[in-house]
Amino acid sequence: MTVKVRSFAKINLGLCIGAARRDGFHELRTVYQTVGLHDVLSLEVSRGSGIEILCDDPRVPTDESNTCYRVAERVMVALSAKGRVSLGIEKRLPLQGGVGGASSNAVATMLALELALKKRLGSKDRFRIASEVGSDLPLFLVGGSVLGVGHGEEVYPLPDLPATACVIATPEIGVSTPQAFRDWDESIEAQRPSASQTRTPGPTQGAKLTAPSTSDRMNEFSRTVAAWLSGYSGKAGLPTSGVPARGRGRAETPLLDLVHTGIENDFEKVVFPKYPELKEVKTVLRQAGAFYASLSGSGSAVYGLFGTAEQAQKGVSALCRRGIPAAATSTLTRQQYWRKFLVSSF
């Protein structure tokens, strides 16, 4: 049986980086949001054994290092299944783009394999396998608007935000996530006051020398999202007030309400100085009318949110005139995410 599915991308609505943990990961806080851009995967289980991955993009690994391979291996064991798994990946999402392409592919493989085998994993097994393979995988088992904590692998469904026009720019730049974390750690270390500065602060010292601690910043992000959530009333599942926008009145939509709280992606502080062209992409999106623009994850994708699909198309045109690849899409509610997931099965 062959199963064909869509593997959707995600963006990050704010991302706060905390301290490095003993397990080597950093504590994170973020709001994930799935969007309509996607890869297409075709999976078949036949007689034999092993896992075969085919992809026209030579940058996509086809061995055990591929997240799809690692997930398929675990799913076959968990379901006590036998057979040869053949997976074809039609790659449309950028590599090292910060939109979760590899993670989404892996979760799509898991669900397609369940359909092909006509066997179903329990919810605990799904999330266990996903979190074993990568931090971004579990969010794709939820879809829609998702709160991510821990090192991103602990996910909680948020009330769905209405579909919103979105432009995703995909500059041909590869940003290493591990290096971005290292750059972040170095920037935090550089902000720490020296021993001589902290030993005997004078009357003009003190506040300027001590940057907000990582725990303070994490708490602030959590309070911001919690305050925004408290604006949700039971009416139609949508917020009626939310957090007061900075210098604005009540936001017109729940998503506007969230982004107007001032949430930011911490990676911008270390990625933009190394790749100023990415900061320029964000500027172009804002000038084209985006009510919010941000780096997604550690990049290199930069997205903008627009009031209408027509405005989003103008944003795409503005980027294309500068030679920057971009596509207009829309955020996906949880219902849309799951309704559009399956292309066909035969």
Side-chain angles (χ1 to χ4, degrees), residues 70-71 74-75 78 110 121 124-134 137:
R70 288 149 57 195
V71 162
R74 287 168 169 79
V75 171
M110 176 190 298
L121 290 165
K124 287 185 178 180
D125 281 334
R126 281 183 175 179
F127 280 96
R128 173 185 58 79
I129 291 171
S131 60
E132 284 176 358
V133 174
L137 271 68

Side-chain angles (χ1 to χ4, degrees), residues 211-234:
S213 69
T214 52
S215 59
D216 288 342
R217 292 174 51 265
M218 296 288 280
N219 290 337
E220 178 60 27
F221 186 92
S222 298
R223 283 193 295 268
T224 296
V225 174
W228 171 70
L229 285 172
S230 72
Y232 277 80
S233 70

Side-chain angles (χ1 to χ4, degrees), residues 50 60 70 85 95 115 138 176 189 192 209 214 219 222 236 238 259 283 316 329 336 340:
V60 175
R70 288 149 57 195
V85 178
L95 277 69
L115 291 169
S176 165
E189 189 62 32
R192 298 184 191 280
L209 293 175
T214 52
N219 290 337
S222 298
L238 299 177
V259 300
T283 299
V316 171
T329 184
Q336 290 171 328
K340 296 181 178 183

Side-chain angles (χ1 to χ4, degrees), residues 61-77:
T62 56
D63 58 10
E64 295 88 343
S65 64
N66 190 304
T67 53
C68 298
Y69 189 108
R70 288 149 57 195
V71 162
E73 201 172 37
R74 287 168 169 79
V75 171
M76 294 295 282
V77 171

Side-chain angles (χ1 to χ4, degrees), residues 72 79-80 133 156 166 215 231 234 252 307 318 341:
L79 291 177
S80 300
V133 174
Y156 303 93
C166 179
S215 59
E252 292 87 347
F341 171 76

Side-chain angles (χ1 to χ4, degrees), residues 28-264:
L28 297 178
R29 298 287 185 276
T30 189
V31 175
Y32 297 114
Q33 174 63 56
T34 50
V35 298
L37 294 187
H38 60 274
D39 292 334
V40 177
L41 275 61
S42 298
L43 184 144
E44 182 181 10
V45 179
S46 58
R47 290 183 179 180
S49 61
I51 298 169
E52 176 188 37
I53 297 177
L54 302 173
C55 184
D56 289 338
D57 191 328
R59 298 171 299 171
V60 175
T62 56
D63 58 10
E64 295 88 343
S65 64
N66 190 304
T67 53
C68 298
Y69 189 108
R70 288 149 57 195
V71 162
E73 201 172 37
R74 287 168 169 79
V75 171
M76 294 295 282
V77 171
L79 291 177
S80 300
K82 295 181 179 181
R84 180 173 181 80
V85 178
S86 297
L87 175 69
I89 303 174
E90 183 183 329
K91 201 67 186 167
R92 304 176 183 178
L93 300 176
L95 277 69
Q96 290 187 315
V99 295
S103 298
S104 177
N105 287 174
V107 170
T109 297
M110 176 190 298
L111 301 175
L113 196 48
E114 289 184 23
L115 291 169
L117 293 169
K118 297 182 180 180
K119 292 184 177 182
R120 188 181 178 90
L121 290 165
S123 180
K124 287 185 178 180
D125 281 334
R126 281 183 175 179
F127 280 96
R128 173 185 58 79
I129 291 171
S131 60
E132 284 176 358
V133 174
S135 300
D136 278 357
L137 271 68
L139 83 95
F140 293 107
L141 288 170
V142 180
S145 305
V146 182
L147 176 65
V149 302
H151 53 84
E153 88 293 359
E154 294 179 38
V155 292
Y156 303 93
L158 294 173
D160 255 335
L161 299 171
T164 301
C166 179
V167 171
I168 298 183
T170 54
E172 295 179 359
I173 298 170
V175 178
S176 165
T177 298
Q179 183 59 52
F181 274 117
R182 288 191 290 269
D183 292 341
W184 174 261
D185 289 339
E186 290 176 6
S187 72
I188 292 298
E189 189 62 32
Q191 294 178 43
R192 298 184 191 280
S194 65
S196 61
Q197 289 174 321
T198 57
R199 195 176 297 125
T200 55
T204 60
Q205 294 179 318
K208 290 184 179 180
L209 293 175
T210 306
S213 69
T214 52
S215 59
D216 288 342
R217 292 174 51 265
M218 296 288 280
N219 290 337
E220 178 60 27
F221 186 92
S222 298
R223 283 193 295 268
T224 296
V225 174
W228 171 70
L229 285 172
S230 72
Y232 277 80
S233 70
K235 186 177 180 180
L238 299 177
T240 56
S241 58
V243 184
R246 290 184 175 178
R248 300 176 176 86
R250 180 180 297 177
E252 292 87 347
T253 71
L255 187 51
L256 273 170
D257 216 10
L258 174 60
V259 300
H260 283 169
T261 62
I263 58 172
E264 297 176 323

